[in-house]
Amino acid sequence: AQSVTQLGSHVSVSEGALVLLRCNYSSSVPPYLFWYVQYPNQGLQLLLKYTSAATLVKGINGFEAEFKKSETSFHLTKPSAHMSDAAEYFCALELGGYNKLIFGAGTRLAVHP
Amino acid sequence: SAVISQKPSRDICQRGTSLTIQCQVDSQVTMMFWYRQQPGQSLTLIATANQGSEATYESGFVIDKFPISRPNLTFSTLTVSNMSPEDSSIYLCSARTPMNTEAFFGQGTRLTVV
Protein backbone atom coordinates (compact mmCIF):
# COMPACT_ATOMS: atom_id res chain seq x y z
CA ALA A 1 0.00 0.00 0.00
CA GLN A 2 1.08 3.54 -0.63
CA SER A 3 1.87 5.72 2.35
CA VAL A 4 3.75 8.79 3.50
CA THR A 5 5.55 9.05 6.81
CA GLN A 6 6.74 12.33 8.25
CA LEU A 7 9.17 11.89 11.08
CA GLY A 8 8.61 14.42 13.83
CA SER A 9 5.24 16.02 14.34
CA HIS A 10 6.94 19.10 15.79
CA VAL A 11 10.28 20.63 14.83
CA SER A 12 11.73 23.71 16.47
CA VAL A 13 14.68 25.68 15.12
CA SER A 14 16.35 28.97 15.79
CA GLU A 15 16.07 31.78 13.29
CA GLY A 16 18.93 31.40 10.82
CA ALA A 17 19.40 27.69 11.50
CA LEU A 18 19.01 24.86 9.02
CA VAL A 19 15.52 23.49 8.54
CA LEU A 20 15.20 19.76 7.89
CA LEU A 21 11.78 18.15 7.65
CA ARG A 22 11.78 14.45 6.97
CA CYS A 23 9.49 12.54 4.63
CA ASN A 24 9.63 8.88 3.66
CA TYR A 25 7.26 7.22 1.27
CA SER A 26 6.12 3.78 0.30
CA SER A 27 4.99 3.14 -3.24
CA SER A 28 5.05 0.21 -5.62
CA VAL A 29 5.26 2.51 -8.64
CA PRO A 30 7.33 5.65 -9.24
CA PRO A 31 5.51 8.40 -7.39
CA TYR A 32 5.10 12.09 -7.75
CA LEU A 33 5.98 13.80 -4.47
CA PHE A 34 4.97 17.16 -3.12
CA TRP A 35 5.57 19.43 -0.17
CA TYR A 36 2.76 21.75 0.87
CA VAL A 37 2.75 24.44 3.55
CA GLN A 38 -0.28 25.49 5.57
CA TYR A 39 -0.26 28.75 7.46
CA PRO A 40 -2.75 29.22 10.29
CA ASN A 41 -6.34 29.44 9.10
CA GLN A 42 -5.33 29.08 5.47
CA GLY A 43 -5.43 26.43 2.79
CA LEU A 44 -2.45 24.57 1.42
CA GLN A 45 0.18 26.17 -0.75
CA LEU A 46 2.56 24.17 -2.90
CA LEU A 47 6.21 24.55 -1.96
CA LEU A 48 7.73 22.19 -4.50
CA LYS A 49 7.13 19.01 -6.44
CA TYR A 50 9.06 16.05 -7.81
CA THR A 51 7.70 14.56 -11.01
CA SER A 52 10.54 12.26 -12.14
CA ALA A 53 12.77 14.95 -13.59
CA ALA A 54 15.68 16.33 -11.57
CA THR A 55 16.07 14.65 -8.19
CA LEU A 56 16.98 17.93 -6.47
CA VAL A 57 13.95 20.15 -6.57
CA LYS A 58 13.95 23.83 -5.70
CA GLY A 59 10.80 25.48 -4.51
CA ILE A 60 9.51 28.77 -3.26
CA ASN A 61 10.78 30.69 -0.24
CA GLY A 62 14.23 29.09 -0.41
CA PHE A 63 13.09 25.53 0.21
CA GLU A 64 14.42 22.53 -1.64
CA ALA A 65 14.02 18.77 -1.46
CA GLU A 66 15.94 15.82 -2.78
CA PHE A 67 14.33 12.67 -4.06
CA LYS A 68 16.34 9.61 -3.01
CA LYS A 69 14.88 6.44 -4.43
CA SER A 70 17.31 4.18 -2.58
CA GLU A 71 16.17 5.66 0.72
CA THR A 72 12.55 6.23 -0.35
CA SER A 73 12.91 9.73 1.02
CA PHE A 74 12.00 13.26 0.02
CA HIS A 75 13.26 15.46 2.83
CA LEU A 76 12.63 19.19 2.81
CA THR A 77 15.44 21.60 3.66
CA LYS A 78 16.10 25.30 3.93
CA PRO A 79 19.57 26.61 4.79
CA SER A 80 18.42 29.46 7.02
CA ALA A 81 15.10 29.58 8.82
CA HIS A 82 13.04 32.73 8.97
CA MET A 83 10.34 33.57 11.46
CA SER A 84 7.81 33.58 8.63
CA ASP A 85 8.54 29.89 7.95
CA ALA A 86 6.60 28.89 11.04
CA ALA A 87 3.73 26.77 9.70
CA GLU A 88 2.52 23.22 9.17
CA TYR A 89 4.26 21.30 6.41
CA PHE A 90 2.77 18.32 4.62
CA CYS A 91 4.50 15.81 2.40
CA ALA A 92 2.22 14.17 -0.15
CA LEU A 93 2.43 11.38 -2.69
CA GLU A 94 0.53 10.95 -5.90
CA LEU A 95 0.36 7.81 -7.94
CA GLY A 96 0.78 8.86 -11.53
CA GLY A 97 -2.50 8.89 -13.36
CA TYR A 98 -4.72 8.53 -10.31
CA ASN A 99 -4.53 12.20 -9.31
CA LYS A 100 -5.28 11.46 -5.68
CA LEU A 101 -2.90 12.78 -3.06
CA ILE A 102 -1.92 10.80 -0.01
CA PHE A 103 -0.73 13.07 2.76
CA GLY A 104 1.65 12.54 5.61
CA ALA A 105 0.61 13.47 9.13
CA GLY A 106 2.30 16.86 8.89
CA THR A 107 5.14 18.56 10.73
CA ARG A 108 4.62 21.77 12.64
CA LEU A 109 7.67 23.98 12.32
CA ALA A 110 8.37 26.54 15.03
CA VAL A 111 11.04 29.18 14.56
CA HIS A 112 12.29 31.02 17.61
CA PRO A 113 14.51 34.09 17.81
CA SER B 1 -2.72 28.03 -11.87
CA ALA B 2 -6.18 28.03 -10.36
CA VAL B 3 -7.76 30.12 -7.64
CA ILE B 4 -10.29 28.30 -5.51
CA SER B 5 -12.93 30.03 -3.42
CA GLN B 6 -14.82 28.19 -0.71
CA LYS B 7 -17.93 29.31 1.10
CA PRO B 8 -18.57 29.52 3.95
CA SER B 9 -15.14 29.98 5.46
CA ARG B 10 -16.44 28.84 8.82
CA ASP B 11 -19.70 27.87 10.48
CA ILE B 12 -21.07 26.65 13.75
CA CYS B 13 -23.93 24.21 13.32
CA GLN B 14 -26.34 22.31 15.50
CA ARG B 15 -26.10 18.55 15.57
CA GLY B 16 -28.56 16.81 13.31
CA THR B 17 -28.53 19.57 10.71
CA SER B 18 -26.76 19.68 7.35
CA LEU B 19 -24.31 22.13 5.83
CA THR B 20 -23.49 22.61 2.16
CA ILE B 21 -20.04 23.90 1.28
CA GLN B 22 -19.46 25.51 -2.08
CA CYS B 23 -16.26 25.42 -4.10
CA GLN B 24 -15.75 27.71 -7.08
CA VAL B 25 -12.69 27.58 -9.33
CA ASP B 26 -11.71 30.47 -11.55
CA SER B 27 -10.88 28.19 -14.50
CA GLN B 28 -12.02 24.90 -15.91
CA VAL B 29 -10.43 21.99 -14.12
CA THR B 30 -10.30 18.30 -14.84
CA MET B 31 -10.45 16.96 -11.31
CA MET B 32 -12.00 18.26 -8.11
CA PHE B 33 -11.56 16.69 -4.72
CA TRP B 34 -12.88 17.11 -1.20
CA TYR B 35 -10.64 16.56 1.81
CA ARG B 36 -11.27 16.53 5.54
CA GLN B 37 -8.73 17.74 8.06
CA GLN B 38 -9.71 16.79 11.58
CA PRO B 39 -8.28 18.85 14.44
CA GLY B 40 -4.53 18.43 14.66
CA GLN B 41 -4.47 15.84 11.92
CA SER B 42 -3.55 15.51 8.27
CA LEU B 43 -5.78 15.62 5.23
CA THR B 44 -7.93 12.68 4.33
CA LEU B 45 -9.54 12.40 0.92
CA ILE B 46 -13.32 12.12 1.12
CA ALA B 47 -14.15 11.81 -2.55
CA THR B 48 -13.40 12.80 -6.10
CA ALA B 49 -16.11 14.99 -7.57
CA ASN B 50 -16.83 13.86 -11.11
CA GLN B 51 -18.45 16.23 -13.56
CA GLY B 52 -21.75 14.87 -14.77
CA SER B 53 -21.65 11.66 -12.75
CA GLU B 54 -21.65 10.40 -9.20
CA ALA B 55 -18.69 11.15 -7.00
CA THR B 56 -16.12 8.48 -6.22
CA TYR B 57 -15.87 7.96 -2.48
CA GLU B 58 -12.91 6.74 -0.49
CA SER B 59 -13.14 3.95 2.01
CA GLY B 60 -14.98 5.07 5.12
CA PHE B 61 -17.00 7.81 3.40
CA VAL B 62 -20.48 7.33 1.97
CA ILE B 63 -22.75 9.32 -0.27
CA ASP B 64 -25.58 9.51 2.24
CA LYS B 65 -23.35 11.31 4.72
CA PHE B 66 -21.35 13.41 2.25
CA PRO B 67 -23.39 14.01 -0.90
CA ILE B 68 -21.38 15.81 -3.57
CA SER B 69 -22.44 17.62 -6.68
CA ARG B 70 -20.41 18.83 -9.61
CA PRO B 71 -22.70 20.37 -12.22
CA ASN B 72 -19.91 21.83 -14.36
CA LEU B 73 -16.12 22.09 -14.71
CA THR B 74 -15.69 24.97 -12.26
CA PHE B 75 -18.07 24.29 -9.38
CA SER B 76 -18.72 21.64 -6.76
CA THR B 77 -20.56 21.32 -3.47
CA LEU B 78 -20.07 19.05 -0.50
CA THR B 79 -22.88 18.53 1.98
CA VAL B 80 -22.20 17.26 5.47
CA SER B 81 -25.45 15.61 6.50
CA ASN B 82 -26.98 14.86 9.87
CA MET B 83 -23.99 16.38 11.60
CA SER B 84 -22.52 15.27 14.90
CA PRO B 85 -19.66 16.79 16.90
CA GLU B 86 -17.33 14.24 15.31
CA ASP B 87 -17.84 16.05 11.99
CA SER B 88 -16.12 19.13 13.36
CA SER B 89 -13.23 19.56 10.95
CA ILE B 90 -11.80 21.69 8.22
CA TYR B 91 -13.14 20.71 4.83
CA LEU B 92 -10.96 21.59 1.85
CA CYS B 93 -11.73 21.66 -1.82
CA SER B 94 -8.94 20.86 -4.25
CA ALA B 95 -8.64 21.00 -8.03
CA ARG B 96 -6.29 19.92 -10.78
CA THR B 97 -5.98 21.77 -14.07
CA PRO B 98 -5.30 19.92 -17.33
CA MET B 99 -1.76 21.24 -17.74
CA ASN B 100 -0.61 21.14 -14.13
CA THR B 101 0.90 18.37 -12.08
CA GLU B 102 -0.01 20.11 -8.84
CA ALA B 103 -3.23 20.32 -6.91
CA PHE B 104 -4.61 23.68 -5.83
CA PHE B 105 -6.49 24.11 -2.58
CA GLY B 106 -9.17 26.39 -1.28
CA GLN B 107 -8.77 28.06 2.09
CA GLY B 108 -11.03 25.57 3.70
CA THR B 109 -14.27 25.62 5.64
CA ARG B 110 -13.89 25.35 9.40
CA LEU B 111 -16.94 23.51 10.70
CA THR B 112 -17.85 23.24 14.35
CA VAL B 113 -20.80 21.08 15.35
CA VAL B 114 -22.34 21.73 18.75
Side-chain angles (χ1 to χ4, degrees), chain A residues 36 38 41 49 94 99 104, chain B residues 33 37 42 96 101 103 110:
Chain A
Y36 282 88
Q38 185 179 35
N41 300 313
K49 59 186 176 184
E94 181 204 355
N99 295 297
Chain B
F33 307 88
Q37 186 178 20
S42 186
R96 308 287 291 265
T101 53
R110 185 179 295 272

Side-chain angles (χ1 to χ4, degrees), chain A residues 56-108:
Chain A
L56 181 62
V57 181
K58 295 187 184 298
I60 62 171
N61 301 337
F63 285 94
E64 65 181 37
E66 185 172 9
F67 173 73
K68 291 187 177 180
K69 184 178 179 180
S70 60
E71 299 178 8
T72 60
S73 69
F74 190 57
H75 302 330
L76 181 71
T77 61
K78 182 174 180 178
S80 177
H82 191 274
M83 298 294 287
S84 60
D85 294 327
E88 185 95 24
Y89 291 80
F90 293 97
C91 183
L93 174 154
E94 181 204 355
L95 303 179
Y98 289 90
N99 295 297
K100 296 190 298 187
L101 289 175
I102 300 169
F103 284 87
T107 298
R108 184 170 297 278

Side-chain angles (χ1 to χ4, degrees), chain B residues 6-10 19 21 89-91 107-111:
Chain B
Q6 270 186 247
K7 289 194 296 186
S9 58
R10 59 178 61 230
L19 175 72
I21 303 168
S89 292
I90 299 172
Y91 292 86
Q107 290 192 305
T109 296
R110 185 179 295 272
L111 170 63

Side-chain angles (χ1 to χ4, degrees), chain A residues 2-6 23-24 34-38 44-46 89-94 99-106, chain B residues 33-37 41-45 92 94 103-105:
Chain A
Q2 293 74 32
S3 65
V4 178
T5 302
Q6 290 184 241
C23 173
N24 288 89
F34 304 82
W35 275 99
Y36 282 88
V37 60
Q38 185 179 35
L44 274 70
Q45 179 183 5
L46 181 71
Y89 291 80
F90 293 97
C91 183
L93 174 154
E94 181 204 355
N99 295 297
K100 296 190 298 187
L101 289 175
I102 300 169
F103 284 87
Chain B
F33 307 88
W34 288 98
Y35 288 85
R36 181 175 71 182
Q37 186 178 20
Q41 297 191 31
S42 186
L43 284 77
T44 301
L45 181 64
L92 294 113
S94 175
F104 299 93
F105 286 82

Side-chain angles (χ1 to χ4, degrees), chain B residues 7-59:
Chain B
K7 289 194 296 186
S9 58
R10 59 178 61 230
D11 207 342
I12 301 173
C13 301
Q14 297 291 323
R15 67 179 67 199
T17 63
S18 297
L19 175 72
T20 295
I21 303 168
Q22 298 181 2
C23 177
Q24 178 73 55
V25 190
D26 68 344
S27 58
Q28 292 188 347
V29 294
T30 50
M31 312 283 287
M32 294 184 75
F33 307 88
W34 288 98
Y35 288 85
R36 181 175 71 182
Q37 186 178 20
Q38 294 179 298
Q41 297 191 31
S42 186
L43 284 77
T44 301
L45 181 64
I46 297 172
T48 303
N50 301 309
Q51 194 264 327
S53 64
E54 200 168 277
T56 305
Y57 290 83
E58 297 300 306
S59 175

